[in-house]
Amino acid sequence: MAMQAARRLASLKLQRRLLLPSQAESPSISIPTAAAAAAFLHSHATSFGYKQVREEDKSKLVGNVFSSVASSYDLMNDLMSVGLHRLWKDRLISKLNPFSGMKHLDVAGGTGDVAFRVLERVKSVGHRAMQGTLTETEEGTHIYVCDINPNMLNVGKKRAAERGYSEEHCLSWIQGDAEALSFEDGSMDGYTIAFGIRNVTHIEKALSEAYRVLKQGGRFLCLELSHVDVPIFKEIYDVYSFSMVPAIGELVAGDRQSYQYLVESIRRFPNQEKFAQMIQEAGFQRVEYENLVGGVVAIHSGLKL
């Protein structure tokens, strides 16, 4: 009996060494404390929906999402918003008030929805001003579409060709990062970003870059899904978002997971007041926001003075 007990004790000790090696036994392996793990997570992680991921991994994960949904992105926007996203973008352009000869940057706008609206508004203004002679009024106008995802840009280029827009004349497609834009300081009259800023890793960097590339007097406009503040409506919206949107994504785009992320990313985005404060801290003045549909979306704006 004593011999069996000794063997059993030795076996347990061996298992303990294999599962939980001490520093003395295995100096190259250490088990972090809960406090150390929390500190690492705080300093090196960011949100991807409700998950915490390493900062360097987020852009890749977001890129995978939009590569997956690129071909059905516009259709899904129509279905998820019951077509309202078109009116929201029209309102965005109305607040931008495009003019002939402007240099405008649309970030995270790969499919061209906002850029096309800017060009159409410039043509409309030019048509009224020149009584049908568009060439002179459009001269100098240039819209730059910047998106980090090449799949989204390819969709936009195809749509542009279908509309007869010439890239050499007034429209350019640039693959780039909102946090590190390739444009010169003070080179743009306007900057828009629609449904894109919540997907960047560092919102502050994206805002700083927006401020840098704008001219004095240039306007920043951001259309983003935001926070509903009407209690009953919020409950209905939450049920719709978490139950219906991923289901629609699975049915139409064959991708439930990407749309689950999109819903979660909205909830992690700063509320209207906090985001307005962040825009001010980036240097913008006359910062304001307009809630649409009870805060389902908000248009934030600011001027570089």
Side-chain angles (χ1 to χ4, degrees):
M1 292 290 291
M3 182 68 70
Q4 290 179 348
R7 288 176 178 172
R8 185 174 182 184
L9 179 60
S11 176
L12 288 172
K13 286 181 177 180
L14 177 60
Q15 291 177 32
R16 187 170 181 271
R17 289 193 197 102
L18 293 173
L19 294 173
L20 297 171
S22 67
Q23 279 191 321
E25 292 166 335
S26 182
S28 63
I29 301 175
S30 62
I31 301 172
T33 64
F40 174 84
L41 189 64
H42 177 74
S43 60
H44 297 282
T46 187
S47 65
F48 178 73
Y50 285 161
K51 299 176 183 177
Q52 291 294 105
V53 299
R54 294 178 65 89
E55 288 184 350
E56 56 267 34
D57 293 336
K58 179 169 179 175
S59 61
K60 180 180 179 180
L61 291 169
V62 171
N64 291 340
V65 167
F66 285 94
S67 293
S68 174
V69 304
S71 61
S72 57
Y73 184 75
D74 290 316
L75 174 60
M76 282 297 299
N77 279 345
D78 276 329
L79 293 173
M80 289 187 299
S81 70
V82 200
L84 289 175
H85 77 100
R86 298 172 182 271
L87 299 179
W88 301 335
K89 290 169 183 172
D90 287 343
R91 178 60 178 163
L92 179 74
I93 301 308
S94 177
K95 293 173 79 69
L96 175 66
N97 194 24
F99 55 89
S100 297
M102 79 180 300
K103 300 291 187 296
H104 182 74
L105 174 61
D106 182 47
V107 176
T111 63
D113 247 15
V114 172
F116 300 151
R117 282 172 166 79
V118 175
L119 285 176
E120 288 162 6
R121 183 64 64 91
V122 169
K123 285 186 175 184
S124 176
V125 171
H127 184 80
R128 291 196 299 270
M130 302 299 293
Q131 296 181 341
T133 305
L134 299 181
T135 305
E136 293 182 18
T137 59
E138 291 177 29
E139 186 176 357
T141 300
H142 207 101
I143 313 302
Y144 300 87
V145 182
C146 178
D147 200 299
I148 200 169
N149 191 288
N151 298 75
M152 298 288 280
L153 287 169
N154 288 336
V155 172
K157 290 175 183 178
K158 181 179 179 180
R159 294 181 67 197
E162 292 170 352
R163 286 164 171 75
Y165 291 130
S166 169
E167 181 174 350
E168 293 76 17
H169 178 52
C170 58
L171 190 61
S172 294
W173 306 85
I174 312 290
Q175 185 176 353
D177 188 343
E179 297 183 29
L181 297 170
S182 60
F183 303 94
E184 295 181 358
D185 296 1
S187 57
M188 298 292 162
D189 296 295
Y191 174 112
T192 50
I193 182 167
F195 307 125
I197 203 163
R198 74 180 187 280
N199 296 310
V200 304
T201 303
H202 305 98
I203 295 174
E204 297 88 349
K205 288 185 180 180
L207 292 173
S208 177
E209 280 291 271
Y211 186 85
R212 179 183 67 79
V213 301
L214 281 170
K215 300 176 182 178
Q216 293 294 323
R219 190 163 198 190
F220 166 85
L221 283 160
C222 175
L223 171 65
E224 189 54 85
L225 293 156
S226 199
H227 294 261
V228 176
D229 56 6
V230 180
I232 296 177
F233 184 37
K234 183 179 184 303
E235 292 178 11
I236 297 172
Y237 179 56
D238 283 345
V239 171
Y240 170 74
S241 297
F242 286 100
S243 299
M244 296 298 295
V245 170
I248 295 172
E250 184 173 21
L251 180 64
V252 176
D255 188 345
R256 184 184 188 91
Q257 186 174 357
S258 291
Y259 285 94
Q260 181 70 33
Y261 156 73
L262 292 175
V263 171
E264 292 174 0
S265 68
I266 299 166
R267 302 310 191 276
R268 296 301 298 265
F269 188 70
N271 66 26
Q272 289 88 324
E273 290 294 335
K274 174 61 178 175
F275 186 49
Q277 181 182 344
M278 294 173 71
I279 296 171
Q280 287 180 321
E281 290 171 353
F284 290 101
Q285 299 182 41
R286 300 184 188 175
V287 175
E288 59 185 23
Y289 66 86
E290 177 184 10
N291 281 333
L292 303 175
V293 197
V296 169
V297 296
I299 298 177
H300 284 77
S301 63
L303 292 173
K304 179 178 179 178
L305 299 177

